[in-house]
Amino acid sequence: MTVIQTLTLFSPLDLAALFWLVLAIVWIGWRIESPPEGQPSVSVLMVGFRREWMRNMISREPRVFDAQLIGNLRQGTAFFASASMIAIGGTLAVIGNTDQLAGLVTDLTHGNAPAIVWEVKVLLVVALLANAFLKFVWAHRLFGYCAVLMASVPNDPEDPRTYPRAEQAADVNITAARSYNRAMRSVYFALASVAWLLGPAALMIGVVVTTAVLYRREFASESRASLLRVPSEKTA
């Protein structure tokens, strides 16, 4: 069956729901990473704190706390990367047994569709989880690079390499955190895309709820209010 023939198995509302999902992923990512002036997201606020962390590390002796913190960040990315791999494996196993899945969904929705329709819907979940896995792995590697850069920062604040090297570490740390946040959003939308099994309307609702949750956490949460109480120098 060709791609065109496969697409004909989906209703216009299905395609609209899929477009709605892609649009939401792109929009919320842009809104979080490029917020308007005077309304920073939690992710943007943390950029300033990460830079301050690297600058304060220069005068901290010994730097055991910093080493433990970067190690914890690497453990977190490794955990979620492993969890994504397990989820991908479980989801692929479902594709090999779509008859039972189709039977279950048919009982819930009182609808009927060819097996390939369920396979495509499950593959969407796999694609989002795979994207998350790749970003988690990249974030894990970047946090490792950051650890090396942190170790290369001279202990002498008067050394001309000290602050530029700390700034390098901060840049890599921020890039790693950005990749980690994008991976987490991909996981959230992978969970939302499971609702497509119940129909396009369910997918649209799942996307709206997921987007709303992400927006609230980044722009209207108690954690954001706490970060703004004593903002970093960059934010202030």
Side-chain angles (χ1 to χ4, degrees):
M1 182 176 290
T2 65
V3 175
I4 301 299
Q5 290 174 327
T6 302
L7 289 176
T8 59
L9 299 175
F10 294 90
S11 68
L13 191 57
D14 278 307
L15 300 178
L18 186 59
F19 176 77
W20 183 252
L21 170 66
V22 175
L23 182 64
I25 293 173
V26 173
W27 180 81
I28 195 63
W30 169 80
R31 188 70 171 78
I32 290 172
E33 296 178 7
S34 304
E37 189 81 19
Q39 194 181 2
S41 62
V42 170
S43 297
V44 169
L45 288 170
M46 287 304 299
V47 168
F49 286 105
R50 291 177 187 277
R51 293 197 183 280
E52 286 191 10
W53 170 22
M54 292 298 110
R55 287 197 295 268
N56 292 331
M57 176 195 65
I58 295 172
S59 58
R60 188 163 26 240
E61 185 65 36
R63 298 172 181 172
V64 176
F65 170 77
D66 305 287
Q68 290 178 336
L69 186 53
I70 201 71
N72 289 338
L73 291 174
R74 295 198 75 197
Q75 288 178 4
T77 55
F79 169 79
F80 281 110
S82 299
S84 298
M85 279 292 290
I86 295 172
I88 291 171
T91 309
L92 288 175
V94 171
I95 295 179
N97 198 11
T98 53
D99 291 337
Q100 289 189 3
L101 175 64
L104 174 62
V105 177
T106 299
D107 292 340
L108 293 174
T109 62
H110 304 289
N112 194 14
I116 191 171
V117 171
W118 308 117
E119 292 173 358
V120 170
K121 292 181 177 182
V122 172
L123 281 174
L124 174 63
V125 180
V126 173
L128 290 169
L129 289 174
N131 179 63
F133 168 74
L134 293 173
K135 291 188 182 302
F136 280 132
V137 170
W138 182 233
H140 183 268
R141 191 168 186 178
L142 286 175
F143 280 128
Y145 293 159
C146 179
V148 174
L149 285 169
M150 290 166 64
S152 69
V153 175
N155 290 326
D156 183 9
E158 301 300 326
D159 191 312
R161 298 171 302 166
T162 300
Y163 284 95
R165 192 61 57 78
E167 191 69 20
Q168 281 182 298
D171 289 338
V172 175
N173 194 311
I174 291 165
T175 304
R178 186 185 303 120
S179 182
Y180 177 86
N181 291 333
R182 289 175 178 176
M184 290 300 299
R185 290 198 296 271
S186 190
V187 171
Y188 294 151
F189 281 107
L191 294 175
S193 65
V194 175
W196 197 15
L197 295 172
L198 301 179
L203 175 59
M204 288 183 172
I205 293 172
V207 169
V208 170
V209 171
T210 301
T211 305
V213 169
L214 288 171
Y215 190 91
R216 188 199 69 80
R217 291 180 178 179
E218 291 285 342
F219 295 99
S221 61
E222 293 183 7
S223 57
R224 180 178 182 273
S226 298
L227 293 174
L228 285 172
R229 193 177 305 131
V230 185
S232 65
E233 293 178 5
K234 178 179 182 295
T235 306

